[in-house]
Amino acid sequence: MLSNHLHNGIEGPKLAWSRLPNSEDGEPDTVGLIKKSDESSIESLDYEVIENYAYWDEQAQRGKLYVGYYVMVKWFFALLIGIGTGLAAVFINLSVENFAGWKFALTFAIIQKSYVAGFLVYILINLVLVFSSVYIVTQFAPAAAGSGIPEIKGYLNGVDMPGILLFRTLIGKIFGSIGSVGGGLALGKEGPLVHTGACIASLLGQGGSSKYHLRSRWLQIFNSDRDRRDLVTCGCAAGVSAAFRAPVGGVLFALEEVTSWWKSQLMWRVFFTSAIVAVVVRTAMGWCKSGKCGHFGSGGFIIWDISDGQEDYSFEEFLPMAVIGVIGGLLGALFNQLTFYIAYWRRNYLHKNGNRVKIIEACLISLITSIISFGLPLLRKCSPCPEADPDSGIECPRPPGMYGNYVNFYCSKDKEYNDLATIFFNTQDDAIRNLFSAKTIHEYSAQSLLTFLVMFYSLAVVTFGTAVPAGQFVPGIMIGSTYGRLVGMFVVKVYNKKLNIEEGTYALLGAASFLGGSMRMTVSLCVIMVEITNNLKLLPLIMLVLLISKAVGDAFNEGLYEEQARLRSIPLLESRPKYQMRKMTAKEASGKRVISFPRVVKVADVVSILRSNNHNGFPVIDHARNGETLVIGLMLRSHLLVLLQSKVDFQHSPLPCDPRESRSIRHTISEFVKPASSKGLSIHDVHLSSDDLEMYIDLAPFLNPSPYIVPEDMSLTKVYNLFRQLGLRHIFVVPRPSRVIGLITRKDLLIEENEDSASMELQSTSSSASR
């Protein structure tokens, strides 16, 4: 039966090979992707099941017991991904909180005697931390720079980039995040945590890292890009769940933002992974409550509990809340555009001068950030502490060496605090907690909030794109909560206590509006904001500002991750095809030059073709007994390289062999799998003698006998949807067929699991009249 699939090919010699634009041409990247040669360029992933003889031979050896084992291993790997990502998040947060705690404690202790000495120590500590981060990235793990979300989104879209899921990238991401966030830069650790979870999932999926001799044979179960895609999806959800302690938000983030392909079975595993992360994080926080974790405290993991804040809202507040949504859309779109321009200039000009320039740039930005965060509060007059409220549990001012609400910084009296230092000279998590806080209506002045907004917005724009791991969730929340609190102060003043209004509520809505205006997420972001604030009553308001901010932002440009993916030349296939595709056909879009192989091909010809072009798929042509040309399948470049390197399938005769003979199947599916995020086997790695070049290879046992095909006059919109929804790498474009041998309807696909072939044939015959 299988040989029929091979010989009943596609009629007609006229076909074209379709591939992703700019993804496999081997062109040098011009916007800063780390590359050593054209061979390490961006490539597509093989999500399609190649049903060749090696595949069917392996499937025949597997029974129902193996299928059950296979499913159990997937769930076990989901468990390991949740535990690994949770522990990585705990380690990162523990380290960041302790470094920040030691930094502020030492600085506060020194400024009691000398502000100049404290200033120098503060700058030095930040410089050391940032230098450690940028040095790790530039010298050890270049792919660890940035948030990593655009790259992971590209991977799940079907695009593989070199280095993004390697072990060294994981290490660089973890330790680089500790240095950059602990060093006080205007960035967060949430985006890198998503990348960290994806790296952990990918390493588990391929059994570890062979380069560092950290491989386990019993973990090498999944040998296809399809299975690894599912694992990486679990890792992304686990990263968000660990970053925000928002397991449901993590699932929705994976569904809405990063994945291009989804199924119900994957939903269960992703949900299970996020739940495991939540358990690990909660267990770690419970263990740290005993004081065993140093400075790690309530600020260690993001959760800003405002459940005791504003309990209700009135109709009059909808207008200022809508204004917050508009402001968020405008500032978010401006942020995306500014970061795109600056990152473009940085990657095309500044960073081309080498790693030394990257290190100097990061250290210079650290110096500027430290001067602003320490120097600006010195210019601000202190305010008297409000009357103590025993029910609030907030102390004013904070004792020396502590940071939180009401920071006493450069104040002449004991019962005073510096409102600008409360948000500037603080960790970002605690600064946001202060901005969200209820029952502190008069803690900040409008002048201080406006100063912080302008300066921090500028720092966030400039910092994004440096050679350090950088996330934009927390800086976005900082920016949004600042102007949200400003609007809240105005609303409180206008209504003059007629309504029960809390400034912290408007700070929360501002944070949601800026993230919506910048990242253009809606459902997942809404759930994340509810989970991290523990206030379900504000859900309708969050939905309102998110819808407005996203609509306003979409009027100007794309979301942050889409813009960054375009900057990195990641060929993403978005959910909707372009409008002009409706007027184009498959023939117009397909490549004009098709390179094909005969079924039995000379080794020298294979080597010559692989050296002369960078195509990754080749049609295989055979001839029927009557001389008619048949296209019998598609041969992948990676499979050809494996055959050339192994040499076991070389033959002296130019005649085809019988693929059903056992001697013809000397390979397993795992031998053809390329490790994730690596360049894989190259034609330059294959060494052949002159005798080898005179041999022949029969390609029939190794090709894909049933590739997807479309007629040449099909609209490009339909081709686009087919390509993206099925996760394809190649589609054959063929002329209109001359005849139809059958028609499949829904009834033909409703097959009972225990039906035999005879009953199926009878059912098909009896139902043919009703089609």
Side-chain angles (χ1 to χ4, degrees):
M1 175 183 260
L2 183 59
S3 59
N4 293 334
H5 289 292
L6 288 173
H7 294 291
N8 291 332
I10 305 165
E11 296 188 3
K14 186 180 178 184
L15 53 87
W17 175 63
S18 176
R19 53 192 172 86
L20 283 173
N22 301 326
S23 64
E24 299 171 9
D25 295 338
E27 298 176 355
D29 186 79
T30 59
V31 288
L33 279 172
I34 303 357
K35 292 185 178 180
K36 294 182 179 179
S37 67
D38 290 349
E39 286 295 323
S40 58
S41 60
I42 295 175
E43 288 189 2
S44 299
L45 293 165
D46 295 307
Y47 289 152
E48 183 181 354
V49 177
I50 300 177
E51 298 175 333
N52 54 23
Y53 280 95
Y55 171 81
W56 288 116
D57 185 64
E58 187 168 302
Q59 291 296 315
Q61 298 175 10
R62 297 176 177 179
K64 291 186 177 181
L65 184 62
Y66 181 85
V67 174
Y69 167 76
Y70 190 75
V71 173
M72 287 180 58
V73 170
K74 281 190 173 183
W75 283 95
F76 179 65
F77 272 43
L79 173 67
L80 293 181
I81 292 169
I83 295 174
T85 307
L87 292 177
V90 169
F91 176 73
I92 292 173
N93 280 276
L94 195 67
S95 302
V96 168
E97 285 292 311
N98 276 286
F99 277 124
W102 294 330
K103 175 179 66 179
F104 285 113
L106 181 61
T107 304
F108 273 115
I110 295 176
I111 63 177
Q112 303 302 318
K113 301 178 181 179
S114 171
Y115 273 86
V116 175
F119 175 59
L120 294 176
V121 169
Y122 180 73
I123 289 180
L124 181 61
I125 294 175
N126 284 338
L127 269 177
V128 169
L129 290 172
V130 172
F131 175 80
S132 67
S133 175
V134 68
Y135 187 83
I136 289 172
V137 170
T138 55
Q139 304 299 323
F140 180 66
S147 70
I149 293 180
E151 290 82 357
I152 300 303
K153 186 173 182 177
Y155 181 86
L156 295 176
N157 193 255
V159 182
D160 192 16
M161 288 148 287
I164 63 168
L165 295 174
L166 299 181
F167 179 73
R168 67 171 180 267
T169 304
L170 172 63
I171 299 300
K173 212 72 178 183
I174 292 175
F175 289 96
S177 298
I178 293 171
S180 60
V181 178
L185 293 180
L187 44 82
K189 54 185 179 292
E190 289 66 37
L193 265 175
V194 176
H195 196 175
T196 299
C199 288
I200 292 173
S202 177
L203 289 169
L204 283 173
Q206 62 187 16
S209 172
S210 57
K211 181 177 180 180
Y212 299 99
H213 306 289
L214 298 173
R215 290 184 71 88
S216 175
R217 182 177 296 274
W218 69 274
L219 287 177
Q220 299 175 28
I221 305 295
F222 303 110
N223 297 316
S224 71
D225 290 332
R226 295 167 63 91
D227 292 328
R228 292 176 183 174
R229 173 185 61 185
D230 293 351
L231 293 177
V232 170
T233 303
C234 292
C236 291
V240 174
S241 177
F244 295 103
R245 289 174 61 191
V248 179
V251 175
L252 294 176
F253 175 84
L255 174 61
E256 178 183 7
E257 186 62 24
V258 295
T259 60
S260 303
W261 187 85
W262 198 262
K263 60 181 179 179
S264 58
Q265 297 94 326
L266 180 60
M267 170 76 82
W268 279 104
R269 284 196 296 273
V270 169
F271 186 76
F272 173 71
T273 304
S274 297
I276 295 298
V277 172
V279 172
V280 172
V281 170
R282 188 175 184 85
T283 302
M285 291 196 66
W287 184 72
C288 287
K289 284 183 178 179
S290 59
K292 299 177 182 178
C293 300
H295 289 271
F296 184 84
S298 59
F301 275 94
I302 297 177
I303 185 164
W304 302 291
D305 192 342
I306 60 170
S307 57
D308 58 345
Q310 184 172 333
E311 296 183 356
D312 201 2
Y313 45 88
S314 61
F315 182 78
E316 291 90 336
E317 296 181 73
F318 283 168
L319 179 60
M321 290 175 181
V323 170
I324 288 179
V326 174
I327 295 174
L330 295 174
L331 291 181
L334 178 62
F335 182 87
N336 293 356
Q337 207 63 37
L338 291 176
T339 53
F340 180 85
Y341 288 143
I342 294 176
Y344 181 85
W345 170 81
R346 179 182 279 134
R347 288 173 174 270
N348 283 277
Y349 301 100
L350 184 64
H351 285 180
K352 284 191 173 182
N353 296 318
N355 290 334
R356 181 177 297 180
V357 173
K358 297 178 183 179
I359 295 175
I360 294 174
E361 178 202 21
C363 292
L364 184 62
I365 292 177
S366 172
L367 181 64
I368 295 173
T369 304
S370 300
I371 292 174
I372 291 175
S373 61
F374 194 103
L376 283 183
L378 294 177
L379 305 177
R380 178 67 183 163
K381 292 183 179 180
C382 293
S383 304
C385 287
E387 296 182 4
D389 184 2
D391 296 331
S392 65
I394 300 176
E395 186 177 357
C396 181
R398 288 278 182 174
M402 299 295 290
Y403 51 96
N405 286 85
Y406 300 111
V407 174
N408 184 290
F409 186 83
Y410 203 63
C411 298
S412 57
K413 299 180 181 179
D414 292 337
K415 286 294 182 180
E416 289 183 337
Y417 73 98
N418 191 318
D419 61 343
L420 193 56
T422 302
I423 48 179
F424 239 138
F425 199 66
N426 221 327
T427 63
Q428 292 184 26
D429 291 355
D430 276 320
I432 294 171
R433 184 174 286 105
N434 297 342
L435 290 168
F436 281 0
S437 61
K439 317 303 182 186
T440 55
I441 294 180
H442 303 293
E443 183 176 359
Y444 306 100
S445 65
Q447 181 182 0
S448 295
L449 290 177
L450 191 60
T451 302
F452 177 80
L453 175 63
V454 173
M455 298 310 300
F456 193 83
Y457 190 95
S458 304
L459 288 174
V461 169
V462 173
T463 306
F464 190 79
T466 52
V468 295
Q472 281 305 116
F473 273 102
V474 169
I477 294 175
M478 287 275 287
I479 294 169
S481 58
T482 304
Y483 68 73
R485 185 123 189 164
L486 273 170
V487 174
M489 292 172 62
F490 175 77
V491 174
V492 169
K493 187 174 182 180
V494 167
Y495 288 105
N496 196 20
K497 297 184 180 180
K498 294 179 180 179
L499 302 174
N500 182 24
I501 300 174
E502 290 284 355
E503 297 173 4
T505 301
Y506 285 82
L508 167 64
L509 298 179
S513 70
F514 185 83
L515 292 179
S518 176
M519 299 179 182
R520 312 292 159 81
M521 296 186 296
T522 52
V523 179
S524 58
L525 186 57
C526 184
V527 174
I528 289 173
M529 295 303 294
V530 169
E531 287 187 282
I532 63 179
T533 56
N534 196 23
N535 194 333
L536 193 60
K537 298 176 181 178
L538 300 179
L539 178 61
L541 303 182
I542 296 175
M543 294 172 66
L544 173 67
V545 297
L546 280 176
L547 290 172
I548 296 175
S549 62
K550 184 182 186 304
V552 172
D554 284 339
F556 293 94
N557 51 32
E558 294 182 296
L560 178 65
Y561 300 135
E562 288 76 17
E563 293 281 355
Q564 294 302 313
R566 182 160 60 92
L567 177 68
R568 291 165 170 81
S569 291
I570 302 174
L572 288 179
L573 293 179
E574 299 296 339
S575 57
R576 289 189 301 176
K578 301 296 183 182
Y579 180 79
Q580 55 267 33
M581 288 184 177
R582 298 180 181 181
K583 302 178 181 180
M584 298 177 63
T585 63
K587 180 181 178 180
E588 295 172 347
S590 62
K592 304 302 179 185
R593 180 168 175 256
V594 181
I595 302 174
S596 60
F597 286 114
R599 172 177 171 174
V600 181
V601 60
K602 197 174 183 179
V603 173
D605 294 337
V606 175
V607 173
S608 175
I609 290 176
L610 294 183
R611 287 183 182 274
S612 63
N613 68 82
N614 293 310
H615 292 176
N616 284 290
F618 304 90
V620 180
I621 308 297
D622 198 5
H623 297 277
R625 293 180 179 178
N626 59 0
E628 184 183 7
T629 301
L630 296 176
V631 182
I632 62 172
L634 174 73
M635 192 70 193
L636 294 178
R637 182 189 190 92
S638 58
H639 290 196
L640 286 170
L641 292 172
V642 172
L643 297 179
L644 291 177
Q645 189 182 52
S646 67
K647 303 180 184 180
V648 298
D649 297 284
F650 291 179
Q651 63 185 40
H652 294 281
S653 172
L655 298 176
C657 62
D658 186 354
R660 290 167 291 187
E661 294 181 8
S662 58
R663 70 173 188 86
S664 301
I665 307 174
R666 300 187 178 97
H667 301 275
T668 60
I669 296 177
S670 59
E671 296 180 49
F672 297 102
V673 177
K674 180 178 74 72
S677 299
S678 67
K679 65 179 182 180
L681 193 61
S682 168
I683 185 62
H684 304 292
D685 300 326
V686 178
H687 303 286
L688 300 171
S689 65
S690 57
D691 293 336
D692 294 333
L693 295 175
E694 297 300 321
M695 304 284 279
Y696 294 86
I697 306 178
D698 187 354
L699 302 180
F702 312 104
L703 52 76
N704 181 2
S706 53
Y708 288 88
I709 64 171
V710 297
E712 59 182 346
D713 55 351
M714 178 183 282
S715 71
L716 194 57
T717 299
K718 295 179 70 174
V719 176
Y720 184 99
N721 292 329
L722 178 68
F723 200 101
R724 186 182 186 275
Q725 291 173 12
L726 295 180
L728 302 181
R729 187 175 187 177
H730 306 99
I731 289 183
F732 282 175
V733 181
V734 300
R736 278 288 176 181
S738 59
R739 63 191 181 93
V740 178
I741 63 172
L743 185 68
I744 293 180
T745 64
R746 183 182 296 269
K747 289 183 178 180
D748 300 313
L749 301 176
L750 299 176
I751 300 173
E752 297 296 335
E753 188 174 351
N754 56 355
E755 276 191 281
D756 57 12
S757 58
S759 61
M760 287 169 53
E761 183 177 355
L762 181 62
Q763 179 182 352
S764 177
T765 304
S766 62
S767 61
S768 60
S770 61
R771 290 175 177 173

